[in-house]
Amino acid sequence: MFGYILRRLAVAIPTLLLLIVLSFLLMYAAPGGPFTQERALPPQIIANLNAKYGLDEPLWRQIVNYVWGIVAHFDFGPSFVYPDRSVNQIIAAGFPVTLTYGALSFVAAVVVGVSLGVAAAIRQNSWIDYLAVGTSIGAQVLPNFVMAPILVLVFTLWLGWLPGGGWGGPIYWIMPVLALSTSFMASIARITRSSMLEVLGSNHIRTARAKGLSESKVILRHALKPAMLPVISYLGPAFVTMITGSVVVDIYFSTGGIGRSFVDSALNRDYAVMMGITILVGALTILFSLVVDVLYAWIDPKIRY
């Protein structure tokens, strides 16, 4: 297992390098630049700005300098639009916010989704099953860009219970977490139900029941663990999506997360911020894909073999 983890980490390095190169090529293929404005600047000022940020050098040298800055100093460079702030500072200001509501959304989606799926599978074709499936279907058709205005309308404008935006204490976390976790919770519930029904019909479950084990022991000891394999495969990318934040949640609730910074950097052609957030998301995706593979091997020894 340790050798497998080392091999995956070794593959992660060229993957990130390829991500950097492709991102550079896509950015420079787009029209305009970080200093393109409605009122054109004098050519000498444009030349000085390009020289200051190294944009006048060949593309291959810019890529090499950028990679070296990350490897040697873990420095994503200065922002082109906000010269008094570095990309590291922008990410450090927004990522803790995104990490907070992203992690809470993940926990809420997993706990509620798995609970609904297991309950529906155990009580198949009962009112509990119908209620769980109906709740999942209803939540599935309510993505975050639909949930966000509904939550603000109900809990802020009508009831006045929750603030409609900003970021402060736990009361500010409730609506972003609900908006972000709802659709993921529905998907987890559906996957859990389907997987649980398949496991409950397998031979080793019938054997466990024939031995006289209680239903709770059959579910917790013999059925739940193998039923989680498809769920875990979904949780890897879902966790990255939630932990890196939702653009809709960041913008609609004005949380100050990195989703808003990424949109602003794309609109302003702030190449440095775009690259920094892209590399962050790519690194997290690779990391949690590795975590999912390790969990697979822990749950099912056959995979380890």
Side-chain angles (χ1 to χ4, degrees):
M1 177 60 67
F2 182 71
Y4 171 76
I5 294 175
L6 290 180
R7 289 194 299 270
R8 286 295 301 270
L9 291 177
V11 173
I13 296 175
T15 302
L16 285 176
L17 291 177
L18 180 61
L19 175 65
I20 293 174
V21 173
L22 291 178
S23 299
F24 258 92
L25 295 177
L26 289 174
M27 285 191 306
Y28 281 89
F35 309 118
T36 302
Q37 301 178 4
E38 293 182 4
R39 183 178 179 181
L41 295 173
Q44 186 60 42
I45 294 180
I46 294 292
N48 292 337
L49 289 173
N50 288 334
K52 176 182 178 181
Y53 292 101
L55 300 179
D56 57 342
E57 297 182 355
L59 184 58
W60 68 269
R61 185 173 291 277
Q62 294 183 43
I63 296 175
V64 171
N65 293 337
Y66 187 79
V67 173
W68 174 249
I70 295 176
V71 173
H73 310 289
F74 200 70
D75 183 12
F76 293 110
S79 169
F80 294 161
V81 178
Y82 307 103
D84 57 334
R85 301 182 66 190
S86 67
V87 178
N88 290 38
Q89 291 173 334
I90 293 175
I91 294 178
F95 188 63
V97 175
T98 304
L99 180 64
T100 299
Y101 74 73
L104 292 174
S105 300
F106 178 78
V107 172
V110 171
V111 171
V112 177
V114 170
S115 300
L116 285 176
V118 171
I122 295 175
R123 299 289 186 265
Q124 186 182 14
N125 297 327
S126 67
W127 68 270
I128 297 178
D129 185 18
Y130 298 145
L131 178 62
V133 172
T135 302
S136 300
I137 294 175
Q140 189 72 55
V141 299
L142 291 174
N144 49 32
F145 60 85
V146 176
M147 279 292 295
I150 292 176
L151 291 172
V152 172
L153 179 65
V154 174
F155 293 104
T156 301
L157 299 181
W158 289 356
L159 300 177
W161 291 353
L162 300 172
W167 191 254
I171 194 172
Y172 291 88
W173 305 349
I174 297 175
M175 289 200 293
V177 168
L178 288 176
L180 186 58
S181 63
T182 301
S183 60
F184 290 101
M185 177 271 294
S187 299
I188 293 172
R190 289 188 298 103
I191 296 172
T192 303
R193 180 182 181 275
S194 300
S195 179
M196 198 72 179
L197 286 174
E198 182 179 355
V199 172
L200 289 176
S202 58
N203 293 329
H204 77 279
I205 297 298
R206 286 192 289 268
T207 302
R209 287 170 173 165
K211 290 181 178 180
L213 296 179
S214 63
E215 190 66 16
S216 61
K217 290 184 178 179
V218 171
I219 298 299
L220 295 177
R221 293 185 181 180
H222 299 280
L224 188 59
K225 192 174 180 180
M228 287 298 101
L229 285 175
V231 179
I232 289 176
S233 65
Y234 173 80
L235 292 183
F239 184 63
V240 174
T241 302
M242 285 186 275
I243 214 68
T244 53
S246 165
V247 173
V248 174
V249 172
D250 280 336
I251 294 177
Y252 204 91
F253 293 106
S254 301
T255 59
I258 60 173
R260 182 59 182 264
S261 299
F262 186 74
V263 173
D264 290 342
S265 66
L267 295 176
N268 297 328
R269 297 288 195 275
D270 195 343
Y271 295 159
V273 177
M274 290 177 62
M275 287 296 301
I277 297 178
T278 300
I279 294 172
L280 174 64
V281 174
L284 290 175
T285 302
I286 294 172
L287 173 62
F288 288 108
S289 297
L290 175 61
V291 171
V292 167
D293 290 341
V294 173
L295 289 176
Y296 253 68
W298 174 70
I299 292 176
D300 190 351
K302 293 183 295 184
I303 297 176
R304 187 183 303 119
Y305 175 80

